[in-house]
Structure formats: C-alpha cells, structure tokens
Amino acid sequence: DTEVTQTPKHLVMGMTNKKSLKCEQHMGHRAMYWYKQKAKKPPELMFVYSYEKLSINESVPSRFSPECPNSSLLNLHLHALQPEDSALYLCASSHELQASPFFGSGTQLSVL
Amino acid sequence: AQKVTQAQTEISVVEKEDVTLDCVYETRDTTYYLFWYKQPPSGELVFLIRRNSFDEQNEISGRYSWNFQKSTSSFNFTITASQVVDSAVYFCALITSFSYDKVIFGPGTSLSVIP
C-alpha cells in the first residue's frame, strides 16, 4: 500500500461550522504533513508531525487545529473558518524528515 | 536563502513533441535533495523523482529524463514524445539539511499537450 488517503474529497462549510479533514497512510511513515494550496500556486506547509509529535507550525491561525492520534492518522480540525481559507488541503507522509514526501489527492474546501 | 525558480509559467506543445521544463535552485547547503512532482487536474501531487546533491548522474525513466547540473544549479526535466496525459502542473522542489522538515516548492510550470 503506497497511498495517502484523504477524506472527504470535497467539503463545503459555513463560517460557523466545525469540521475535520482526515488523512491515513499505512506505509509505516513517521513524518506527516498538512499543506494548503491555493489555485495556481505551489503548496504551502502548515504543520509537520514527526513520530506523532508536532514539530512545525508555520504560524497557522488557531482556527486550524492538527491532531495525530497515531502513527497512521492525521487530522485537521476546522472551526470558524473564513472564505479566504478556501483551498486544496493536502496531506503528505514520508519515511522520515528529509525523505521523499508522498501526497494524498487532497480535500477541496470551500468556506461560504 | 533557499529558493526554487521555474521560469516557465505555462508551456503548450503539440503531442509527440519533446519538452523541457527548467528548474533552478539556490541553497548554501552542500547536502540537499531535489524533487519533481506532477499535479494533474485531479489534484494529487505525484512524486516523480528525488536526487541528492552528491549524485549528478542523469536519469531516464521511460519518456522522462532529468539533467542535474550543480555547476549551474539546475535540475531540468525533459518529456520525450509528449502525450495528452502529460498535461499537468509540474513542481520542482528542494529539501536542504538546514530546512530538513520543509519542502521548498518552485512556483510550478503548467504544461498543456495539445492533441
């Protein structure tokens, strides 16, 4: 299994909603990442988990809250988002930091 | 400073033509890794290749080939006999021993292969 699986593929939410994005990998990777990608732009790093501990938070607003329940799962909890948060959210994993990240197909998020 | 430049924003070619996507990187580290990713309209970033700074051998994989030249800080990607399925955005990326937890992406090149 060489996949990073993200659910849901599409999400529409209002500014007062609470939702979660989920990411799963079964490659035994110990580093997992959340990226945000706006249209026609490269992905921007949001969070990095290494061995289930948060190692990087790229100054992301607190309305985004990551969680790593175990070595295979990564969640991104969303609350009180703004329309400008609409984007493609990509999860990635790698064997370790500095190894080749493998990306999921992303969740296309629209905030109304 | 670490930076990746992809000067070609958009490229259009006719099917079966060869096309080269340029990538120029900047880093002061002597140990670093270069990547190419493909992002088709479906959105997934597909890993194509990783190269470390100590391996300047060029690589060929089917219709894809990569030319790594440290002297010019370039890591160019050539698609031979392009096909419509090659239409995608291609990102060149860099990881250095200094920013080992952060992939530095170039701005991407959008390739359209016209039948």
Side-chain angles (χ1 to χ4, degrees):
Chain A
D1 185 357
T2 57
E3 283 189 355
V4 176
T5 303
Q6 289 188 245
T7 56
K9 292 194 182 304
H10 301 274
L11 179 62
V12 179
M13 59 187 291
M15 290 189 284
T16 59
N17 291 158
K18 284 186 182 180
K19 297 287 185 183
S20 295
L21 309 185
K22 297 185 184 301
C23 174
E24 190 169 3
Q25 57 88 13
H26 295 289
M27 295 179 278
H29 289 174
R30 302 315 300 265
M32 296 187 76
Y33 313 77
W34 280 114
Y35 282 82
K36 173 183 177 181
Q37 187 179 23
K38 301 286 267 185
K40 299 187 184 298
K41 297 289 187 183
E44 297 176 354
L45 183 66
M46 299 175 73
F47 302 104
V48 179
Y49 274 84
S50 178
Y51 289 84
E52 298 154 57
K53 293 193 187 311
L54 183 65
S55 68
I56 291 288
N57 176 340
E58 288 285 306
S59 303
V60 179
S62 58
R63 57 185 183 269
F64 295 91
S65 174
E67 178 196 18
C68 189
N70 60 54
S71 60
S72 299
L73 294 174
L74 186 66
N75 297 323
L76 185 62
H77 303 297
L78 314 172
H79 174 54
L81 294 192
Q82 304 296 310
E84 60 264 29
D85 297 321
S86 298
L88 180 67
Y89 288 84
L90 291 160
C91 175
S93 71
S94 61
H95 177 63
E96 56 188 5
L97 296 176
Q98 222 170 23
S100 312
F102 287 86
F103 285 83
S105 57
T107 295
Q108 187 66 54
L109 174 67
S110 297
V111 181
L112 303 178
Chain B
Q2 279 77 221
K3 186 180 178 181
V4 176
T5 301
Q6 295 178 256
Q8 303 147 309
T9 305
E10 295 182 1
I11 301 176
S12 287
V13 298
V14 176
E15 201 171 20
K16 297 186 183 177
E17 286 184 349
D18 298 347
V19 58
T20 295
L21 309 182
D22 297 332
C23 173
V24 174
Y25 62 93
E26 292 177 34
T27 180
R28 293 180 181 174
D29 285 341
T30 56
T31 301
Y32 52 89
Y33 302 86
L34 294 163
F35 303 79
W36 276 95
Y37 286 91
K38 173 184 179 180
Q39 189 171 39
S42 59
E44 181 179 0
L45 272 165
V46 179
F47 167 80
L48 296 178
I49 190 171
R50 162 182 147 135
R51 255 298 175 254
N52 74 56
S53 53
F54 300 108
D55 183 1
E56 284 193 76
Q57 277 194 338
N58 292 328
E59 180 155 338
I60 298 174
S61 176
R63 296 184 297 108
Y64 295 170
S65 62
W66 290 270
N67 184 336
F68 177 27
Q69 292 197 340
K70 288 178 75 170
S71 60
T72 55
S73 297
S74 65
F75 186 42
N76 296 338
F77 173 32
T78 297
I79 302 174
T80 303
S82 59
Q83 300 176 2
V84 172
V85 293
D86 296 327
S87 297
V89 179
Y90 290 85
F91 291 100
C92 182
L94 168 70
I95 291 178
T96 73
S97 58
F98 178 74
S99 64
Y100 59 91
D101 50 4
K102 185 173 181 176
V103 179
I104 301 162
F105 284 94
T109 296
S110 178
L111 174 66
S112 296
V113 180
I114 304 163

